[in-house]
Amino acid sequence: MKKLFLNKNTKDTTITLTGVIFVCLIVQLWMSFGSMSSLLKGLMVPLCVYTIMAVSLNLTVGILGELSLGHAGFMCVGAFTGAFFSKCTDGVLPDGIRFLCAILIGAVFATLFGFIIGIPVLRLKGDYLAIVTLAFCEIIKNIVNALYIGRDENGFHFTMKDSLSLGLSEQGEVIINGAQGISGTPNDSSFVIGAVLLVITLFIILNLVNSRSGRAIMAIRDNSIAAESVGLNLTKYKLMAFSISAGLAGVAGVLYAHNLSTLTALPKNFGYNMSINILVFVVLGGIGNIRGSIIATIILTLLPELLRGLNDYRMLMYAVVLIAVMLFNYSEKAKDFKEKLGFMTRKKFHAKEDK
């Protein structure tokens, strides 16, 4: 039985990864030899970013069962730490090595923030957890907007007043300029790199879910009291899932930052709106359903742009699709619940007859 269970998980993981790799190859061939419009080409890297964000958030919301609205905050941490490193080492390290180091640095800092924030935050549940994580997201965004960091021959200078207070020499340069963000970040992102990072993200999460730790996390989600009673360390597994989710969001942030000429911390990219959009992808695709998150992200990212010709009705059709899909998901879940309820009723009835 155990062998069959592991084989089924391995099969599902292989199908998911193979399907994603196949689609990415088709898209890359379309971009290289087809007639893909410049609009769609410009959406490919953001699509990878949003998919990584949705899959990583599903680890917290779907697998762990905790509602988090601060995922954009971890993306912001990864974006600015990675962009800061790239800006400081531009021309010093080769492009590939510099970008790889930026990804690792963004992931490490986002994971560290996730661990630090998770220690007090994961004691809360439900709406309280959502409010606190949302507050963290806003705090990070506001701190970045008030931060000024410069560099000259004397080293790094930082302040939270204005760029003139840095006291830089004539040869010095401002790297982070408050609300104006970071300008001149090397444009290292591409669809191929985004696809590779997406596959790595899926590999990490799917293997975690199918591992012993993943089953412990899902047991905590289903019934934390029962899980604790059999000896599971709730704090350990909650922090594990929350920190890994934050680190992967940081990777998405680095990819996002290196696709822009100027990186700024605005509400639309690192605020409440981004967190809600990613949560919509997760809920629409099915909470705990990794493949569903990928499909929902692709549809909801491309649909508004594909309907751009219908300027007056574009967002109306977008909303109608959202409502229709949610109603379909609800009806399917209600149908499954009725079938399970009917099965349990029949089982009890036959048990009484046997007696």
Side-chain angles (χ1 to χ4, degrees):
M1 180 63 70
K2 183 177 180 181
K3 184 177 180 181
L4 292 175
F5 179 74
L6 291 175
N7 285 339
K8 181 179 182 300
N9 289 335
T10 303
K11 181 179 178 181
D12 291 342
T13 301
T14 303
I15 291 174
T16 302
L17 292 176
T18 304
V20 171
I21 292 173
F22 178 76
V23 172
C24 291
L25 287 175
I26 294 298
V27 172
Q28 181 59 35
L29 290 174
W30 186 17
M31 293 176 63
S32 301
F33 305 104
S35 57
M36 180 181 288
S37 65
S38 58
L39 176 62
L40 285 179
K41 287 183 179 180
L43 285 175
M44 289 300 105
V45 173
L47 184 60
C48 293
V49 172
Y50 298 148
T51 307
I52 294 172
M53 289 287 289
V55 171
S56 60
L57 181 60
N58 211 343
L59 178 60
T60 299
V61 177
I63 309 303
L64 180 59
E66 300 289 355
L67 179 59
S68 173
L69 295 180
H71 213 52
F74 300 121
M75 179 183 175
C76 182
V77 171
F80 275 88
T81 52
F84 180 82
F85 174 82
S86 294
K87 185 69 182 292
C88 292
T89 57
D90 189 16
V92 178
L93 296 176
D95 294 347
I97 296 177
R98 182 191 63 230
F99 188 47
L100 177 61
C101 292
I103 292 173
L104 295 176
I105 289 173
V108 168
F109 272 88
T111 303
L112 181 61
F113 270 77
F115 182 81
I116 294 174
I117 297 298
I119 292 175
V121 161
L122 291 176
R123 299 175 183 270
L124 305 174
K125 290 183 177 294
D127 299 338
Y128 301 101
L129 176 62
I131 292 171
V132 173
T133 52
L134 175 61
F136 157 73
C137 176
E138 294 299 317
I139 289 172
I140 290 295
K141 178 173 65 67
N142 291 327
I143 289 177
V144 170
N145 283 329
L147 187 63
Y148 296 84
I149 299 179
R151 180 182 60 173
D152 59 14
E153 64 274 8
N154 297 320
F156 290 96
H157 306 259
F158 69 93
T159 183
M160 299 190 73
K161 294 181 180 180
D162 53 54
S163 58
L164 297 177
S165 302
L166 289 172
L168 298 175
S169 63
E170 294 182 357
Q171 291 76 27
E173 64 170 342
V174 179
I175 300 176
I176 300 181
N177 193 16
Q180 298 180 22
I182 301 178
S183 299
T185 305
N187 192 358
D188 295 327
S189 295
S190 65
F191 174 71
V192 174
I193 295 175
V196 171
L197 292 177
L198 174 58
V199 171
I200 293 174
T201 299
L202 288 171
F203 181 81
I204 292 172
I205 291 182
L206 291 174
N207 279 277
L208 173 64
V209 171
N210 296 326
S211 67
R212 182 178 180 181
S213 297
R215 291 191 289 272
I217 292 170
M218 288 185 284
I220 294 171
R221 174 198 65 189
D222 295 335
N223 193 325
S224 60
I225 297 175
E228 190 174 17
S229 67
V230 298
L232 293 180
N233 189 332
L234 268 62
T235 303
K236 170 187 173 182
Y237 289 110
K238 282 186 175 182
L239 279 176
M240 177 189 296
F242 196 73
S243 299
I244 292 174
S245 177
L248 294 174
V251 172
V254 176
L255 184 65
Y256 177 82
H258 288 75
N259 192 47
L260 303 172
S261 58
T262 302
L263 178 65
T264 55
L266 300 175
K268 66 178 182 179
N269 55 0
F270 295 126
Y272 174 80
N273 293 337
M274 174 63 78
S275 294
I276 292 299
N277 284 337
I278 302 301
L279 183 62
V280 168
F281 298 156
V282 173
V283 174
L284 185 64
I287 295 177
N289 188 341
I290 303 299
R291 296 179 193 170
S293 296
I294 298 172
I295 295 172
T297 304
I298 294 173
I299 293 174
L300 295 183
T301 302
L302 297 181
L303 187 61
E305 301 302 329
L306 294 177
L307 298 175
R308 187 170 290 276
L310 305 173
N311 290 328
D312 296 334
Y313 305 101
R314 180 167 59 98
M315 297 311 297
L316 175 62
M317 296 176 66
Y318 177 82
V320 169
V321 170
L322 274 179
I323 295 172
V325 174
M326 292 305 296
L327 289 175
F328 175 78
N329 287 342
Y330 177 78
S331 63
E332 288 295 318
K333 289 183 180 179
K335 182 179 178 181
D336 292 340
F337 176 75
K338 289 180 181 179
E339 290 178 354
K340 291 180 181 178
L341 184 61
F343 174 76
M344 294 174 63
T345 304
R346 290 192 297 270
K347 187 176 180 181
K348 289 182 179 178
F349 177 76
H350 291 306
K352 288 181 180 180
E353 283 191 338
D354 293 340
K355 290 181 179 180

